[in-house]
Amino acid sequence: MKRARSAIMIQSRWRSWSAEALLHQQLRACQTIQAAFRGVRMRGQLEVWKMRRSAATMIQCLWRRGLVLKMLAEANQSAITIQAAVRRCLCRSRWRVLKLEWESSTKIQTSWRMWVASKEFIAARTSCSTIQASVRGYRARSIFLQYVHAMTLLQRARRRIVALRKYQTIRGVTIAIQATVRRYLAAGVARRRRRAVVSIQSMLRVS
């Protein structure tokens, strides 16, 4: 924008200066024509010389006018070239700014999407890890309960076998004791009966 304003200011200054120069030239031309006309009126004998002078003055004016017009055309062409260059520069600057903004927004979007994707991935991984830990814990607890149940069953079977062996041992010992006691009692009864029979027999023999 500053360059465009500078170019516009340069154009306006150049046009004002060109207009002032043209006006001064026209004024000088008018003054020359007036002086020539007065000289013709005042000095009739110098009419030819004055006509030549006026013709030369007109030629100079036309020549200067052509030069001024040429300079104006060149100035306009230069101003147009400067304006085109300034506009091209401004367009390029704007395009670079827009390109940088586009690249920055693209990078920001990419970073944001990567951050969201990583956050979702971390959340999904955490959820999967939690689910896996829960499943593994449930399976481990199930297996542990199965082991505990199996160990309980084994302990019950072992205790049953040990109790059965103790029972069988105690029963055998009890039966042996009972047999010994019964044998002892039977032997005592047999001795008493034998003694009674012997007594009876001795009494019978005495009688």
Side-chain angles (χ1 to χ4, degrees):
M1 295 298 293
K2 290 182 178 180
R3 293 181 179 178
R5 290 177 182 175
S6 300
I8 293 170
M9 188 176 292
I10 291 168
Q11 287 180 356
S12 63
R13 293 292 177 83
W14 174 257
R15 288 173 183 172
S16 64
W17 179 81
S18 299
E20 289 178 359
L22 182 62
L23 179 62
H24 287 301
Q25 288 176 1
Q26 289 178 357
L27 288 174
R28 285 195 297 270
C30 291
Q31 290 175 0
T32 305
I33 292 170
Q34 288 177 357
F37 181 73
R38 289 171 184 172
V40 169
R41 288 178 64 184
M42 292 175 67
R43 293 182 297 274
Q45 67 274 10
L46 299 176
E47 184 178 358
V48 176
W49 180 81
K50 291 180 179 180
M51 289 177 63
R52 290 178 180 177
R53 185 179 178 183
S54 63
T57 304
M58 291 295 295
I59 291 169
Q60 287 179 355
C61 290
L62 293 173
W63 176 256
R64 290 172 182 173
R65 184 179 179 182
L67 289 177
V68 170
L69 291 175
K70 186 176 180 181
M71 289 174 66
L72 287 174
E74 291 178 355
N76 288 327
Q77 187 65 32
S78 300
I80 292 169
T81 304
I82 292 170
Q83 287 181 350
V86 170
R87 290 173 181 172
R88 190 182 302 111
C89 183
L90 291 175
C91 290
R92 287 179 180 176
S93 299
R94 183 60 179 169
W95 169 249
R96 289 174 183 173
V97 171
L98 291 174
K99 187 176 180 181
L100 289 174
E101 290 178 355
W102 175 260
E103 291 177 354
S104 300
S105 61
T106 305
K107 290 181 180 179
I108 291 170
Q109 287 179 355
T110 304
S111 301
W112 173 257
R113 289 172 182 171
M114 288 177 65
W115 182 77
V116 172
S118 63
K119 188 175 181 180
E120 291 178 354
F121 174 73
I122 291 170
R125 186 176 63 183
T126 305
S127 301
C128 291
S129 300
T130 304
I131 293 169
Q132 287 179 353
S134 300
V135 171
R136 289 172 182 172
Y138 175 76
R139 291 180 63 185
R141 285 193 296 272
S142 299
I143 294 170
F144 177 73
L145 292 175
Q146 290 178 2
Y147 285 160
V148 169
H149 184 65
M151 292 298 293
T152 305
L153 292 177
L154 289 173
Q155 286 179 356
R156 288 179 182 177
R158 183 177 177 280
R159 289 173 183 173
R160 190 181 297 113
I161 292 170
V162 171
L164 183 60
R165 288 180 181 177
K166 287 182 179 180
Y167 172 74
Q168 290 177 355
T169 303
I170 293 170
R171 184 181 178 186
V173 173
T174 304
I175 292 170
I177 292 170
Q178 287 179 354
T180 303
V181 171
R182 288 173 183 173
R183 191 181 300 111
Y184 176 75
L185 294 174
V189 171
R191 284 195 300 272
R192 285 195 298 272
R193 287 179 180 179
R194 189 179 296 114
R195 288 176 184 173
V197 171
V198 171
S199 298
I200 292 170
Q201 287 178 356
S202 62
M203 289 174 64
L204 291 174
R205 288 176 184 173
V206 170
S207 59

